[in-house]
């Protein structure tokens, strides 16, 4: 009798974004006349064409596969050295951060990496997640059996939730209890919060003191323009002994449909086995990666590498500026109608407080039905997200201007 | 204190193919004069350029990403409907097999799927694997904690091994004990064996009688030319209630470096929870897929779909015929020097018995050092693989002819 993984049954009915999709589809089906006017600021999906540097590189890569001489079959599971080296140079060394190419593992995206990383950790870790939070962190822990059941407020037994509130600027405080794995994400999804150097120093000190590992989601790193904000956890002394960093080309290069990301695991980073022996974490991930993954697409890796050419860096900068400009417009529009707003600087997300007495799913329905704008209800990111909603700045400028007009109309 | 997944420590030092790579590199470094003459028939990696249908489709897809109008960001996690529909039509309906598009889950490759599938099954299943076997099945079960320690003969405690021998034509016999999950792979990697209808009927009957699930690896299905050999487990009555099928474009379309595969989970297929309630397996996989995966690359999916156009089907046929021609030549060469040979028909692998008294790693070293040919030692596929070696037919015709000459010289 084949037995299923029962932990899956603890999960809530739907992953957040499919649920949003269902509601939007249902509304569009009921109101076909309005369907065409719906503007999606829900899921953080890019809208702008790829940098031409990446387009050219991928055309060339496709052509390579059409010839015997330049054909590429299975690549190294860890990713091609030319991509890992350009990342080490441009994404780290250029910012004064030491990461070597062999500490970088290329993948088909940060979401996969964030989910799969739990494969290499044991079942007996105490795990801390921010609240609100990217749902993948929580759901993958549920699937892995690292939690108990869901409780009335939407939290899972066994996880340590780190409240992110206006009071702490949505940067979680150090917990009183001892935890072993800590998820942090800056610039933050969903709140758009950024962590300052002192914030991260506190966390690194805590992790070192408690022999804990920080799982640092830097998927939105490209949006940091303020030189005082650390771009990487490895900019903090000691982090190489207590952190794994996750990065993505989804936002940096508009690669959400292209699929490429990477994980950085410093050689110094260790976890403990049952006897207390230290085991290098990168060895475990290398084994996982070579056994359950077969390398990212050659075409895609060529495209990612091209983002770091002179032309690619210029174009990426333009792309990021476009979305940051959107973020600024959306934040202003919300502020002008009297809403409280966070994020939207050094980050592509605006985090907005719902008007008093309106729940975040009520807000979602109101925005959808009355303004034809799709946002993401804060409650979808955790119990502390209730009372807030997220607006994504990933859109065309025309759409953003229209959303600003509709916000004015709805709240004026 | 962050604790690692200790099951990883039970794994043998290296995954097979990296180990082969290391030995070849070491030899090449010691003998730089000979390095250029080494011919690789080890890993089953394609060598021929992609079908031009796929090349054209991927160029077009790259161009799509360069425009606002045709831009594609995140796709459906399950894969685009146009790809799933063309698979349902061409890979199944055209062969009289009923599989619907919504039972197909597109991924970045069968290796990932075969590894990740264990996420949705519980820890208390009895698991059967053929021996010899594709190492990924065993290693991923070790990582998942589904086995005990490795034993002296290289097998892991707790797994049920199904011996594949010349006596059973390398198609495993039904086990005497009751098992819950069964890995089967036809055309087989590594032995090149194929299963006839009656073989598969026995397995489906066993699975139905025992409420077991067959994990059917059909990555090499495209090599089946004999109309009497089933192309899919779903060609067998009842299989929809007891099987998951894994397929790949790696060999069919030469996509090893492009990365695309798919899983078929029929809606009827269920597993049981602890209370004995039946849970649809496809629901669990859909949840896993949408939480820990973000869809295969748009470019890649366009390329895969093009393999099923009229031109794509023709070109794929030519590609497969090329490799089957290689297989036939290699099998003949081995037979001519008196070696016992299996496989190589309806399959891209030749399975050869080592000369008496030679172990399979000794054979590997002999072939590498004396013939400058890389093969795969049978022992790398399990204890029953000892005494055999695998030759891959994935090569250019020139290389294959040269390998045949070297085999003649070495054994004559």
């Amino acid at each position: 009798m084949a037995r299923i993984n029962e932990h899956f049954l603890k999960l809530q009915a739907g992953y957040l974004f499919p649920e949003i999709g269902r509601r939007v589809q249902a509304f569009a089906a009921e109101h076909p006349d309005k369907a065409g006017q719906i503007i999606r600021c829900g899921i953080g999906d890019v809208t702008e064409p790829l940098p031409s540097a990446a387009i050219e590189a991928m055309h060339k890569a496709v052509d390579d596969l059409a010839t015997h001489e330049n054909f590429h079959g299975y690549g190294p599971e860890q990713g091609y050295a030319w991509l890992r080296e350009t990342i080490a140079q441009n994404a780290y060394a250029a910012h004064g951060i030491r990461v070597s190419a062999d500490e970088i593992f290329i993948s088909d995206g940060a979401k996969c990496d964030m989910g799969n990383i739990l494969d290499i950790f044991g079942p007996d870790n105490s795990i801390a997640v921010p609240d609100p939070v990217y749902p993948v962190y929580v759901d993958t822990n549920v699937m892995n059996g690292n939690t108990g059941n869901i409780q009335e407020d939407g939290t899972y037994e066994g996880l340590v939730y780190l409240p992110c509130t206006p009071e702490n600027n949505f940067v979680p405080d150090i917990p009183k209890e001892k935890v072993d794995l800590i998820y942090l994400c800056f610039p933050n999804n969903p709140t758009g919060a950024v962590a300052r150097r002192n914030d991260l120093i506190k966390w690194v000190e805590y992790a070192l003191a408690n022999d804990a590992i920080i799982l640092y989601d830097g998927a939105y790193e490209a949006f940091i323009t303020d030189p005082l904000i650390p771009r990487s956890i490895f900019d903090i002394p000691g982090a190489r002994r207590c952190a794994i960093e996750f990065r993505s080309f989804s936002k940096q290069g508009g690669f959400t449909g292209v699929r490429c990301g990477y994980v950085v695991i410093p050689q110094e980073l260790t976890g403990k086995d049952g006897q207390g022996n230290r085991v290098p974490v990168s060895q475990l991930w290398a084994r996982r990666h070579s056994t359950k993954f077969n390398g990212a697409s050659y075409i895609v890796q060529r495209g990612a590498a091209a983002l770091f050419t002179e032309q690619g860096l210029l174009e990426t900068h333009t792309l990021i500026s476009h979305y940051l400009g959107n973020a600024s417009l959306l934040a202003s529009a919300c502020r002008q109608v009297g809403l409280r707003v966070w994020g939207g600087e050094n980050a592509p997300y605006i985090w907005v407080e719902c008007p008093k007495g309106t729940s975040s799913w009520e807000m979602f329905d109101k925005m959808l039905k009355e303004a034809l704008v799709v946002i993401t209800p804060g409650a979808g990111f955790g119990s502390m997200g209730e009372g807030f909603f997220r607006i994504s700045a990933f859109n065309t400028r025309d759409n953003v201007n229209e959303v600003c007009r509709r916000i004015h109309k709805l709240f004026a």
Side-chain angles (χ1 to χ4, degrees), chain A:
Chain A
M1 183 183 76
R3 288 276 287 269
I4 62 153
N5 176 352
E6 292 193 84
H7 301 302
F8 274 64
L9 305 180
K10 298 176 195 163
L11 289 165
Q12 284 180 291
Y15 177 68
L16 172 62
F17 294 108
E19 172 60 24
I20 288 177
R22 273 187 293 276
R23 291 200 187 202
V24 175
Q25 262 192 322
F27 176 78
E30 279 167 41
H31 305 277
D33 53 315
K34 294 180 180 166
Q37 300 167 60
I38 294 173
I39 299 178
R40 287 169 169 75
C41 299
I43 192 165
D45 195 3
V46 295
T47 56
E48 300 305 293
L50 298 192
S52 65
I55 294 290
E56 284 161 28
M58 292 199 289
H59 274 308
K60 189 174 171 311
V62 171
D63 281 334
D64 285 348
L65 301 180
T67 67
H68 266 116
E69 303 70 48
N70 299 319
F71 189 77
H72 283 72
Y74 290 122
E77 283 100 346
Q78 194 175 342
Y80 283 100
W82 38 258
L83 176 55
R84 291 185 285 110
E85 278 155 16
T86 197
I87 291 171
Q89 180 55 43
N90 291 285
Y92 291 101
H95 299 287
I97 300 164
R98 176 170 63 94
V99 160
S100 73
D102 59 5
E103 296 173 326
I104 297 170
F105 297 79
I106 310 297
S107 75
D108 65 325
K111 184 183 178 190
C112 312
D113 288 331
M114 296 284 338
N116 293 331
I117 197 75
L118 290 176
D119 283 6
I120 64 171
F121 291 108
D124 39 11
N125 288 301
S126 169
I127 295 165
V129 292
D131 183 4
V133 70
Y134 180 44
V136 167
Y137 311 159
V138 173
D139 288 359
T140 55
N141 273 292
V142 176
M143 291 176 174
N144 245 41
N146 296 341
T147 74
N149 286 318
I150 196 165
Q151 300 169 108
E152 248 181 50
D153 63 356
T155 64
Y156 284 90
E157 285 172 349
L159 288 181
V160 174
Y161 287 86
L162 308 170
C164 300
T165 63
E167 288 66 41
N168 61 19
N169 268 315
F170 298 97
V171 176
D173 300 319
I174 301 293
K176 291 191 182 66
E177 57 269 74
K178 203 169 163 342
V179 298
D180 306 308
L181 296 176
I182 304 144
Y183 289 85
L184 291 178
C185 171
F186 295 108
N188 189 256
N189 175 15
T191 66
V194 288
R196 282 153 311 175
R197 183 169 299 276
N198 280 344
D199 297 321
L200 294 182
I201 287 174
K202 270 193 309 188
W203 275 106
V204 167
E205 283 174 355
Y206 171 86
L208 291 173
N210 291 282
D211 225 342
I213 292 177
I214 296 171
L215 304 173
Y216 193 81
D217 183 348
Y220 298 93
E221 165 268 341
F223 293 93
I224 298 175
T225 52
D226 182 340
L228 292 179
I229 296 173
R231 301 179 79 91
S232 163
I233 188 74
F234 300 123
D235 202 13
I236 307 300
R240 288 180 58 85
R241 286 179 286 124
C242 68
I244 298 175
E245 183 157 283
F246 300 79
R247 290 250 185 118
S248 169
F249 295 104
S250 282
K251 311 301 153 79
Q252 177 183 349
F255 270 36
T256 54
V258 177
R259 312 302 315 138
C260 201
Y262 58 95
V263 179
V264 177
I265 307 184
Q267 275 160 347
E268 296 93 313
L269 185 71
T270 56
K272 284 193 178 165
D273 69 12
Q275 280 71 52
N277 302 311
R278 293 198 169 272
V279 180
V281 172
S282 68
Q283 276 179 22
L284 301 173
W285 187 246
R287 196 54 155 83
R288 198 267 168 213
H289 219 56
S290 64
T291 306
K292 297 173 85 166
F293 183 63
N294 228 337
S297 174
Y298 169 69
I299 303 163
V300 168
Q301 290 190 63
R302 282 289 185 203
L307 298 176
F308 296 107
T309 59
E310 200 177 330
Q311 187 197 344
L313 289 169
L314 265 172
E315 292 183 302
T316 302
H317 182 74
T318 306
L319 205 56
I320 295 294
S321 299
H322 164 80
Y323 293 124
L324 284 174
N326 288 350
S328 177
L329 290 169
L330 290 163
S332 295
C334 290
R335 285 197 182 97
Q336 282 164 18
V337 297
L339 294 167
R340 287 179 81 196
V341 175
W342 296 265
E345 284 174 21
N346 302 291
Y349 295 122
I350 327 294
W351 190 243
V352 189
E353 195 174 42
C354 300
K356 274 232 158 68
T358 311
S359 78
S360 67
W361 276 108
E362 283 167 2
M363 195 65 208
F364 173 87
D365 288 332
K366 184 181 171 74
M367 288 283 280
L368 175 60
K369 291 172 187 172
E370 298 176 29
L372 306 176
V373 171
V374 182
I375 49 94
T376 310
F381 297 105
S383 64
M384 299 297 290
E386 183 53 272
F388 298 88
F389 63 98
R390 187 188 81 173
I391 311 179
S392 157
F394 293 109
N395 227 316
T396 61
R397 185 57 53 90
D398 283 351
N399 275 349
V400 165
N401 284 328
E402 177 60 22
V403 170
C404 292
R405 272 192 292 275
R406 294 187 191 172
I407 287 172
H408 273 284
K409 201 172 151 202
L410 189 65
F411 291 98

